[in-house]
């Protein structure tokens, strides 16, 4: 495992992090808490020290399970969590987005509850969970975060943009960097979905902001877990990605056609899942990548992605040609 320091912080984080969402929500097939705890502990043993969660994952479970698994390793891990969704007063239905609350009093309430669940006295990276541009421009939010820093309850803060990719998130990311000087911006970015990275990376590099990346495997297309025969049940997160069955099948088929064009990346002994992570790690502003980990096999494969050969110049040039031609495949609307 290799490590990078999030710019303007003293947080040294593993290039491959662990998104606790997969072990705190039923959408990933893990319903046994013991399995989730085991995966978190094995991740630490493999060198992963950066764990990202949120207060609303599993209505608090995303924080409690992390504490249960690794509370005795607190000084050896970096904890990122998120706030902003009011799951205390509203019930979530399916993947429907909850109401948000970024008022100072709610932020203070949220951080205290997260500290209790995490069984810690400080949060290393506290992130606004899917804020809109109007939220990023509210002074009282960031004044509250600065106060929490001064009080030692949080160490640094950032924004996690979402929930799904939307072009407006480029403006949100740039505003968070330029106007709020955040330490990190968390986005969806991968070989097939480069919109947000191409829009935000230049500003991040210019301002020494750490970029965090999720969905590096395009919801399973780039890690081998989605095949042409795969069907998605209603409790699978990918079931909601494209609602229309025909559009979903088109996304799947065309995505796998694109994967077929990337086989040259495997010739040096990488898996496609490792190559997808290495592609993202080529970006200098990226501090860590958070693949979806929901089995021990995927954990071992992704954790070792930090150690496989980096993408070399000739491979990079071939990728650029594929990007320009959109992989020679018609793109599904998703």
């Amino acid at each position: 495992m290799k490590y990078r320091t999030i710019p303007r912080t003293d947080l040294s984080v593993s290039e491959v992090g662990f998104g606790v969402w997969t072990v705190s929500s039923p959408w990933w097939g893990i319903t046994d808490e013991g399995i989730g705890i085991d995966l978190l502990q094995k991740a630490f043993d493999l060198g992963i020290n950066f764990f990202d969660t949120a207060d609303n994952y599993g209505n608090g479970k995303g924080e409690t399970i992390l504490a249960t698994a690794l509370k005795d390793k607190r000084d050896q891990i970096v904890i990122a969590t998120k706030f902003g969704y009011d799951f205390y007063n509203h019930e979530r239905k399916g993947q429907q987005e909850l109401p948000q609350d970024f008022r100072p009093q709610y932020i203070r309430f949220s951080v205290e509850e997260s500290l209790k669940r995490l069984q810690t006295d400080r949060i290393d990276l506290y992130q606004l969970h899917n804020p809109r541009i109007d939220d990023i421009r509210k002074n009282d939010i960031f004044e509250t975060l600065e106060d929490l820093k001064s009080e030692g309850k949080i160490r640094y803060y950032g924004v996690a943009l979402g929930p799904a990719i939307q072009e407006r998130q480029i403006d949100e990311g740039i505003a968070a960097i330029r106007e709020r000087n955040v330490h990190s911006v968390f986005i969806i970015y991968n070989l097939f979905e480069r919109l947000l990275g191409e829009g935000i990376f230049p500003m991040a590099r210019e301002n020494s902001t750490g970029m965090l990346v999720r969905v590096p495997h395009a919801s399973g297309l780039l890690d081998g877990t989605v095949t042409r025969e795969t069907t998605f049940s209603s409790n699978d997160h990918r079931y909601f990605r494209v609602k229309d069955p025909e559009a979903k099948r088109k996304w799947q088929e065309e995505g796998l056609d694109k994967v077929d064009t990337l086989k040259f990346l495997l010739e040096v002994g990488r898996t496609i899942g490792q190559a997808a992570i290495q592609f993202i790690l080529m970006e200098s502003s990226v501090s860590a990548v958070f693949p979806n980990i929901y089995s021990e096999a995927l954990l071992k494969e992704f954790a070792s992605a930090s150690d496989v050969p980096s993408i070399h110049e000739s491979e990079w040039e071939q990728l650029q040609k594929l990007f320009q031609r959109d992989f020679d495949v018609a793109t599904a609307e998703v």
Side-chain angles (χ1 to χ4, degrees), residues 274-310:
Q274 291 170 333
I277 292 173
Q278 277 291 346
F279 163 74
I280 296 167
L281 290 173
M282 290 188 70
E283 167 57 43
S284 62
S285 66
V286 169
S287 297
V289 179
F290 289 85
N292 294 328
I293 297 170
Y294 43 93
S295 72
E296 186 174 350
L298 288 175
L299 170 61
K300 290 179 177 178
E301 177 185 351
F302 299 157
S304 62
S306 183
D307 302 317
V308 301
S310 300

Side-chain angles (χ1 to χ4, degrees), residues 194-207:
R194 303 181 305 281
L195 173 71
L196 300 184
E198 291 174 352
I200 302 173
F201 287 155
M203 181 63 63
R205 291 193 295 267
E206 181 180 335
N207 290 268

Side-chain angles (χ1 to χ4, degrees), residues 210-275:
M211 295 297 299
L212 309 178
V213 172
R214 66 188 188 275
V215 199
H217 296 114
S219 301
L221 292 172
L222 286 161
D223 64 13
T225 59
V226 172
T227 68
R228 297 184 190 276
E229 291 73 40
T230 300
T231 58
F232 305 110
S233 63
S234 59
N235 64 346
D236 188 307
H237 70 286
R238 291 166 295 198
Y239 179 85
F240 299 92
R241 182 181 175 111
V242 186
K243 295 181 180 179
D244 179 73
E246 289 188 13
K248 187 185 277 92
R249 174 55 59 180
K250 185 179 181 183
W251 165 79
Q252 190 170 340
E253 290 292 338
E254 293 183 356
L256 291 171
D257 287 344
K258 292 180 181 182
V259 172
D260 287 340
T261 71
L262 297 171
K263 290 181 180 178
F264 67 94
L265 293 173
L266 315 185
E267 294 173 0
V268 296
R270 310 181 195 97
T271 66
I272 186 62
Q274 291 170 333

Side-chain angles (χ1 to χ4, degrees), residues 55 63 85-90 106 109-110 113-114 117:
D55 59 1
E63 294 176 332
Y85 283 116
D86 183 6
F87 67 95
Y88 298 96
N89 299 301
H90 302 273
Y106 187 78
F109 168 77
S110 295
E113 293 301 305
S114 286
R117 287 189 292 265

Side-chain angles (χ1 to χ4, degrees), residues 101-112 140-141 144:
D101 192 341
F102 289 109
R103 293 174 302 159
Q105 58 267 42
Y106 187 78
I107 296 173
R108 284 196 165 274
F109 168 77
S110 295
V111 77
E112 294 295 345
D140 57 358
I141 293 176
T144 302

